[in-house]
Amino acid sequence: MKILKRIIKSKSGQQTLAFLAASYLKFVFKTNRWEFIGQDIVDSYAQNNKPFIVCFWHGRLAMMPCAASQQKNKFSMLISSHSDGTLIDRVIQYFGIETIFGSTARGGVEATRQIIRALRNNKCIGITPDGPRGPNRIVSPGVIAISKLTQVDIIPISFATSRHKTFNSWDKFHFPLPFGKGVFICGEPIHASKDKNDAELIRLKVEKALNEITERADRHI
């Protein structure tokens, strides 16, 4: 077991795992019949060269790199700086996605600066607002603060596949399997005003929207 952990944590081991993981996700994407609901929402931002913040639950992370790779927008993703985050960084590189290391919920000042810089350069940012360690499906206030500061809209998104495994992890991770049906659902954009007094209201609005589209995706397939 110790030898296995060393291999996983080694640079060469992570590169191999990342290649296998990316290849598997691409295989799942190709072998499922996908439906995109709300694609017009994302397209409208691309046509107007407007950045946006994509929010999705940590448990629905798996297929998001595939979805991002199909869009016209350039994407960066906020990833935690622990060892799991390093592996995720290597995986998403295979999809042309850049990484910003840090967390909006744990005093990630430098990460916040990089996110703001990317948004002002018209890049879109993907954030798991309940990551990296939970609590599950609770939006952290950091993403709302960034949206308010930059006046960039939040677009909630989720996915589900008919064939999948649900891990017994804190985030109830939805692990997609090939040869089934899949759906991505984009919710309506959420605008965070500059008013400091409505931050909690916006946070709850994003949380509700994410839960609703996730449940809708599960029902849809």
Side-chain angles (χ1 to χ4, degrees):
M1 184 63 74
K2 289 183 179 180
I3 295 175
L4 180 60
K5 287 183 178 179
R6 287 177 185 174
I7 293 173
I8 292 173
K9 289 184 178 181
S10 69
K11 184 177 180 179
S12 59
Q14 287 213 342
Q15 286 177 335
T16 301
L17 284 173
F19 172 76
L20 293 173
S23 298
Y24 176 78
L25 293 178
K26 290 178 180 180
F27 179 70
V28 169
F29 191 72
K30 287 182 179 180
T31 57
N32 274 278
R33 300 188 306 278
W34 291 95
E35 184 177 356
F36 293 81
I37 298 174
Q39 179 66 46
D40 57 315
I41 295 171
V42 176
D43 289 344
S44 68
Y45 279 78
Q47 289 166 5
N48 292 292
N49 199 29
K50 286 179 62 177
F52 55 88
I53 300 168
V54 178
C55 279
F56 45 90
W57 292 135
H58 197 277
R60 301 297 168 120
L61 170 63
M63 296 306 298
M64 293 305 167
C66 294
S69 68
Q70 304 298 305
Q71 308 304 319
K72 297 177 182 178
N73 311 75
K74 291 183 178 180
F75 276 88
S76 296
M77 189 174 292
L78 181 65
I79 301 293
S80 64
S81 54
H82 58 69
S83 57
D84 290 346
T86 303
L87 178 58
I88 294 172
D89 166 49
R90 295 184 188 278
V91 172
I92 66 175
Q93 285 180 19
Y94 285 98
F95 297 89
I97 301 170
E98 297 178 353
T99 298
I100 296 174
F101 284 107
S103 169
T104 60
R106 291 170 174 78
V109 176
E110 181 55 34
T112 300
R113 287 174 180 167
Q114 289 185 54
I115 291 170
I116 292 171
R117 191 180 306 123
L119 290 170
R120 287 176 175 168
N121 287 327
N122 291 325
K123 290 185 178 180
C124 299
I125 302 294
I127 296 178
T128 55
D130 61 342
R133 298 294 186 187
N136 186 30
R137 297 195 178 188
I138 299 295
V139 171
S140 69
V143 64
I144 309 303
I146 290 171
S147 179
K148 282 182 168 292
L149 182 62
T150 60
Q151 287 297 280
V152 172
D153 295 342
I154 296 170
I155 298 181
I157 186 171
S158 194
F159 87 92
T161 52
S162 57
R163 301 187 69 250
H164 65 273
K165 296 290 185 183
T166 302
F167 289 173
N168 188 27
S169 54
W170 69 266
D171 59 354
K172 304 301 180 186
F173 194 81
H174 184 100
F175 184 79
L177 299 173
F179 308 116
K181 296 187 299 181
V183 63
F184 288 98
I185 300 181
C186 289
E188 291 295 324
I190 296 170
H191 177 72
S193 70
K194 292 183 179 180
D195 185 356
K196 295 180 180 179
N197 296 320
D198 69 351
E200 177 63 9
L201 181 65
I202 300 299
R203 190 192 70 79
L204 291 173
K205 188 174 182 179
V206 173
E207 200 170 280
K208 180 181 178 182
L210 279 170
N211 283 328
E212 286 179 347
I213 62 172
T214 299
E215 292 166 7
R216 181 182 169 193
D218 288 339
R219 292 194 304 268
H220 191 80
I221 53 160

